[in-house]
């Protein structure tokens, strides 16, 4: 996945992996989010990386280390960008990162130890990660969510209904126009017949007057 081994579990990194992990996180073309879990001073982890991976599956890559010196080396690489993940914490590094832009840190959510120190805080963190990553899509510019499909189906249904109604109105209008044209033709035919009758009557009247005139002279 994105030129890295596909895994359903978390990835533990050591000192020799720091540069590779940093370069992966800083890669602008990276679409899949990454999560880093940092250790306490005793090397413990407040959040179990395996549980995080189980919750979100392939929707994010989970990194962790239990070695504080390795984590310090990793944070040294991130310090110029203000994107460290200091002890007992968890950080989500969103895709399409801009590590070189000041203020990009706001796009990479940080869960400090104060939010992970008890069971309720850890459960809340996992719920947020599951909703943000597993139940949605990370490549939202190029992917489609279930809500988008439903919305598009609704819009498509409305468009089809509107089109059917427009066609019905158009057909009704055409029928009305046809009826008006038929009525106009009938009226024109009736007027023509009345005109013909009037002309015949006029001709008959003229003929009658002509004969009367001839007979009067005779």
């Amino acid at each position: 996945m994105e030129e890295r081994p596909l895994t359903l579990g978390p990835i533990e990194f050591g000192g020799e992996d720091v540069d590779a992990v940093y370069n992966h996180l800083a890669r602008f073309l990276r679409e899949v989010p990454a999560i880093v879990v940092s250790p306490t001073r005793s090397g413990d982890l407040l959040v179990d990386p395996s549980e995080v991976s189980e919750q979100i599956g392939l929707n994010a890559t989970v990194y962790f280390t239990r070695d504080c010196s390795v984590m310090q080396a990793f944070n040294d690489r991130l310090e110029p960008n203000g994107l460290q993940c200091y002890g007992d914490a968890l950080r989500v590094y969103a895709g399409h990162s801009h590590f070189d832009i000041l203020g990009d840190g706001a796009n990479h959510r940080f869960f400090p130890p104060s939010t992970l120190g008890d069971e309720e805080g850890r459960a809340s963190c996992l719920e947020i990660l599951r909703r943000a990553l597993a139940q949605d899509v990370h490549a939202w510019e190029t992917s489609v969510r279930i809500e988008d499909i439903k919305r598009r189906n609704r819009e498509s249904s409305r468009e089809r209904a509107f089109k059917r109604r427009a066609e019905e109105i158009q057909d009704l209008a055409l029928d009305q126009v046809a009826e008006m044209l038929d009525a106009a033709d009938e009226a024109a035919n009736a007027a023509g017949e009345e005109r013909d009758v009037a002309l015949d009557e006029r001709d008959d009247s003229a003929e009658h007057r002509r004969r009367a005139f001839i007979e009067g002279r005779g």
Side-chain angles (χ1 to χ4, degrees):
M1 182 171 61
E2 293 190 340
E3 302 178 357
R4 301 184 66 81
L6 186 64
T7 175
L8 289 172
I11 300 172
E12 184 172 9
F13 65 97
E16 71 280 3
D17 304 314
V18 167
D19 288 341
V21 174
Y22 173 84
N23 291 335
H24 177 64
L25 297 184
R27 182 169 172 263
F28 171 72
L29 295 178
R30 174 177 59 84
E31 290 190 351
V32 178
I35 297 174
V36 175
V37 182
S38 63
T40 65
R41 292 182 179 179
S42 60
D44 296 326
L45 299 169
L46 295 182
V47 179
D48 186 351
S50 297
E51 189 173 358
V52 176
S53 292
E54 182 180 350
Q55 292 287 336
I56 63 177
L58 294 175
N59 294 283
T61 305
V62 180
Y63 294 100
F64 76 98
T65 182
R66 299 181 185 276
D67 190 325
C68 293
S69 63
V70 172
M71 197 67 213
Q72 182 60 51
F74 179 71
N75 282 321
D76 289 343
R77 290 297 310 274
L78 288 165
E79 184 174 3
N81 312 114
L83 294 170
Q84 303 96 314
C85 184
Y86 279 114
D88 314 352
L90 178 149
R91 189 155 204 164
V92 181
Y93 294 90
H96 299 294
S97 57
H98 295 274
F99 281 9
D100 56 337
I101 297 179
L102 183 64
D104 187 53
N107 297 320
H108 310 288
R109 182 152 188 178
F110 181 72
F111 293 86
S114 58
T115 64
L116 305 174
D118 54 38
E119 189 63 33
E120 182 178 355
R122 289 190 290 273
S124 177
C125 173
L126 290 175
E127 176 68 16
I128 291 173
L129 294 177
R130 183 169 59 250
R131 287 181 176 275
L133 302 176
Q135 294 185 3
D136 206 337
V137 294
H138 54 270
W140 58 270
E141 298 97 336
T142 57
S143 302
V144 179
R145 299 180 299 176
I146 295 299
E147 291 78 3
D148 293 330
I149 295 175
K150 292 179 179 179
R151 174 178 55 78
R152 292 180 183 180
N153 286 339
R154 290 193 298 269
E155 292 175 353
S156 179
S157 297
R158 287 196 295 268
E159 289 176 358
R160 289 195 299 269
F162 177 80
K163 184 178 180 180
R164 286 196 301 270
R165 182 56 180 164
E167 290 175 349
E168 291 173 358
I169 294 174
Q170 185 179 19
D171 292 341
L172 179 60
L174 291 175
D175 291 341
Q176 291 176 344
V177 170
E179 291 176 0
M180 292 174 60
L181 292 176
D182 291 341
D185 289 340
E186 291 177 0
N189 291 335
E193 291 176 356
E194 291 178 358
R195 183 196 62 191
D196 293 341
V197 171
L199 290 175
D200 291 342
E201 291 178 350
R202 185 194 65 183
D203 292 342
D204 291 342
S205 177
E207 180 64 19
H208 179 73
R209 288 196 302 272
R210 187 181 67 80
R211 289 180 179 179
F213 176 76
I214 293 172
E215 289 176 356
R217 291 186 63 182

